[in-house]
Amino acid sequence: MLRAADEQPAIADDDPVRFLHDPIDYLMRVYRRHGAGVTNAPRRADFVFALGAESNYAIYSNPDLFVATGFLFPGPKNSAQRRLLSGIFNQNGDRHRDHRRAMMPTFQKTTVAAWRDAMAEVCETFFDDWRFGETRDMSAEMLALVVRLNARLLLGVSDVDLVSQLEKATDEWMALNTPLTVASSLSLDLPRSWYDAALASSERVESLTKQLLELRKAQPLAGDDLLGVLLRVQAADPSRITPLELVGQTAHMFAAANQSTRSSLIWTLFLLAQHPEVMAELHDELDGELHGAAPTLEQIERLPLLDRVYRESVRLFPPVSYYTRMCADATELCGRRLNKGTTVVFSHYVTHHMATTFADPQRFHPDRWLSANPTPYEYLPFGVGARTCIGITFAAQVGRIALATLLQRARLTIVPGTQVNRKVTTILSPRDPMPMRIDRPGRPYQSSIVGGDVHDMVHLPSTLAAAA
Ligand code: HEM
């Protein structure tokens, strides 16, 4: 028999404000206390945490019932914030399906495959600036690399400076919006200054996005880059993508593309730097197959350890750590009755850290992928179904080319004592700089003792050895 959502016990001593401050810690506590399934936020019938494969399946396979509401709070009428709701993360139904279709030329396999040489060139030129013996903040470096790649390929522009400004503005906008959206669903009051800051940042995002579109318009519109594709679709049929939606789609795509890809790269470098034996084995694989060059698409297929490392890294640190949906109608989820309008939080991070699917889930163990065979609802770094990541092929190819090129050119060692803490805006990133020393590649690879809440997320052998 179904129980009404408000009849079940709340999470007694867990103030949901903590969810705003540290969603990963909060969601893992909910999971440890209540297990997989649906649990209410304390004293709230219309805000639930749905954890595990069963709820992931229900949510992802019913996109018209569990609808997307995006990461933006609505903002006042006639504000930039309100106008920017017009992108893919807030779309549902036929409009969403049609806009996804319209953008597909950029993301299909053949388009992305044809960008292999450009991806390799951007990576090689970027790493040419690095010198042995220097220390760089790899978190900033990976973001700068992703911005260059995305500017050239996804956006079709060469003004990296403008793209970097938009990236900063978008990151700030997302960081302010995510807690505001969650707080409003939970009826929690946040300081007025947060709203004002979010509104101001939405104006910056809108203005820079318009500049970017003008810049792209000034060039020939041919090309498979996203802006070229969107502008052509609009020119052919202005009602299919309105001017408002053009700006909204561009801003949302931008928000989706940069931090997520950076997150996958920086956490992979972190994990490899902290697991010297895996790094040494990977170096042998790369050196043996590539002899210093960036991989071709055929060679990527012959780098099985790189594939396992990437998969394991986005399992442990899924760039999209959680997301939300809203019930468009009253429904049932994992045996619980949910009212229309209920906010549902689900989590890729928690799903990937379930020992019932992944033995010793906090351990970085790429070889688990020699036999692991999770369902698409147990392992879903890119989502699944109608709202699956549209950029999956692009992100996967960039990830492999960037990592294979970098790791043949440099041995990276984290500066000992670095504090590695998380920042979660739904995207899981390192909060602070991650300084790493760059040396000539090859043995000996060495891990370092680091501090911070990263130890909640992964068991590092260096720390275990130091404690023994
Ligand atoms: C490693 C990098 C990336 C990861 C792990 C990732 C992950 C995800 C996930 C989990 C979702 C589903 C969110 C949901 O449930 O609503 C998603 C959606 C999306 N991603 Fe990615 N993403 C990455 C890179 C990219 C890139 C490069 C783009 C290019 C623009 C992109 C564009 C999108 C878009 C537009 C959506 C929304 C799709 C929709 O709602 O129909 N992502 N991504």
Side-chain angles (χ1 to χ4, degrees):
M1 193 171 117
L2 297 183
R3 278 186 290 154
D6 54 357
E7 279 170 24
Q8 59 164 311
I11 313 160
D13 51 2
D14 270 343
D15 187 332
V17 168
R18 289 205 205 159
F19 176 65
L20 297 184
H21 289 298
D22 190 346
I24 284 189
D25 179 61
Y26 193 90
L27 290 168
M28 284 303 288
R29 277 166 194 258
V30 172
Y31 173 60
R32 283 190 203 108
R33 193 169 298 180
H34 298 271
V38 174
T39 303
N40 278 70
R43 296 169 296 285
R44 293 304 309 254
D46 55 0
F47 193 106
V48 299
F49 303 103
L51 303 176
E54 188 182 342
S55 46
N56 293 338
Y57 170 74
I59 291 165
Y60 272 119
S61 48
N62 292 293
D64 294 329
L65 179 58
F66 295 100
V67 296
T69 50
F71 59 91
L72 301 173
F73 74 96
K77 255 186 170 172
N78 298 323
S79 62
Q81 176 77 19
R82 180 71 70 95
R83 288 190 290 277
L84 288 171
L85 295 178
S86 56
I88 193 161
F89 285 110
N90 286 80
Q91 289 180 314
N92 287 290
D94 289 343
R95 197 76 175 165
H96 170 253
R97 282 186 275 277
D98 184 50
H99 278 199
R100 264 190 84 110
R101 254 197 310 275
M103 293 188 270
M104 269 328 277
T106 301
F107 296 107
Q108 62 202 6
K109 236 179 157 176
T110 46
T111 307
V112 176
W115 285 336
R116 180 270 164 200
D117 290 355
M119 285 178 182
E121 188 194 317
V122 173
C123 290
E124 281 168 343
T125 313
F126 188 86
F127 301 134
D128 278 348
D129 283 349
W130 292 5
R131 296 285 169 267
F132 296 139
E134 62 180 13
T135 296
R136 289 186 176 235
D137 169 11
M138 280 301 146
S139 192
E141 291 290 316
M142 288 305 105
L143 186 58
L145 172 64
V146 168
V147 162
R148 281 202 206 178
L149 285 159
N150 289 350
R152 171 149 165 202
L153 300 170
L154 283 183
L155 307 173
V157 297
S158 53
D159 188 343
V160 172
D161 192 43
L162 174 62
V163 177
S164 301
Q165 285 180 50
L166 181 53
E167 172 4 76
K168 265 201 191 82
T170 310
D171 187 33
E172 182 189 283
W173 183 53
M174 285 170 77
L176 288 161
N177 263 279
T178 317
L180 285 168
T181 316
V182 174
S184 107
S185 309
L186 282 166
S187 309
L188 299 170
D189 280 331
L190 291 182
R192 172 83 224 173
S193 56
W194 283 43
Y195 289 90
D196 294 341
L199 292 178
S201 89
S202 69
E203 281 169 23
R204 274 196 300 283
V205 168
E206 185 184 51
S207 153
L208 289 164
T209 304
K210 285 180 172 170
Q211 281 182 48
L212 186 68
L213 281 162
E214 286 308 313
L215 188 71
R216 181 63 190 88
K217 251 190 226 170
Q219 301 162 33
L221 283 194
D224 288 324
D225 61 281
L226 182 65
L227 298 193
V229 166
L230 285 172
L231 286 163
R232 284 204 303 277
V233 171
Q234 200 201 25
D237 179 358
S239 67
R240 190 168 178 203
I241 296 184
T242 65
L244 188 83
E245 288 171 329
L246 182 63
V247 177
Q249 286 302 12
T250 305
H252 284 217
M253 283 292 156
F254 205 85
N258 294 317
Q259 293 286 341
S260 54
T261 310
R262 184 267 285 262
S263 163
S264 67
L265 294 177
I266 185 61
W267 289 122
T268 306
L269 293 183
F270 169 79
L271 288 165
L272 286 170
Q274 292 297 77
H275 292 83
E277 70 303 338
V278 179
M279 185 58 244
E281 208 189 318
L282 180 57
H283 182 255
D284 292 347
E285 175 179 282
L286 297 172
D287 212 29
E289 179 64 38
L290 308 175
H291 315 292
T296 62
L297 299 180
E298 295 72 33
Q299 285 173 320
I300 288 177
E301 300 300 318
R302 295 198 294 271
L303 298 171
L305 181 54
L306 179 64
D307 182 61
R308 296 201 294 278
V309 162
Y310 187 85
R311 280 198 216 197
E312 179 71 344
S313 164
V314 295
R315 179 190 70 79
L316 266 170
F317 296 91
V320 175
S321 58
Y322 79 95
Y323 222 84
T324 58
R325 296 283 194 268
M326 183 181 280
C327 298
D329 219 331
T331 186
E332 181 218 329
L333 184 61
C334 299
R336 288 277 157 75
R337 195 181 306 136
L338 303 181
N339 296 328
K340 179 177 175 175
T342 300
T343 298
V344 180
V345 174
F346 63 108
S347 173
H348 311 72
Y349 180 91
V350 175
T351 307
H352 291 183
H353 283 249
M354 289 184 169
T356 42
T357 313
F358 298 103
D360 204 357
Q362 313 289 87
R363 184 171 157 224
F364 175 65
H365 181 40
D367 282 355
R368 77 171 73 239
W369 291 100
L370 290 169
S371 57
N373 191 19
T375 70
Y377 303 96
E378 292 171 329
Y379 177 70
L380 61 174
F382 292 94
V384 56
R387 297 205 84 102
T388 197
C389 177
I390 202 170
I392 181 171
T393 311
F394 184 88
Q397 190 171 305
V398 158
R400 280 151 180 87
I401 290 178
L403 291 167
T405 311
L406 188 167
L407 296 170
Q408 290 181 91
R409 289 174 166 229
R411 165 161 51 100
L412 299 176
T413 315
I414 301 179
V415 170
T418 296
Q419 295 300 304
V420 183
N421 291 297
R422 58 182 170 260
K423 168 181 148 189
V424 182
T425 61
T426 73
I427 303 288
L428 169 58
S429 314
R431 192 182 69 199
D432 309 303
M434 202 182 295
M436 295 194 193
R437 187 184 150 91
I438 300 166
D439 285 302
R440 202 172 288 284
R443 290 166 176 82
Y445 291 97
Q446 238 176 350
S447 61
S448 307
I449 302 288
V450 299
D453 61 23
V454 73
H455 296 289
D456 305 346
M457 302 193 281
V458 57
H459 294 157
L460 297 174
S462 53
T463 315
L464 297 177

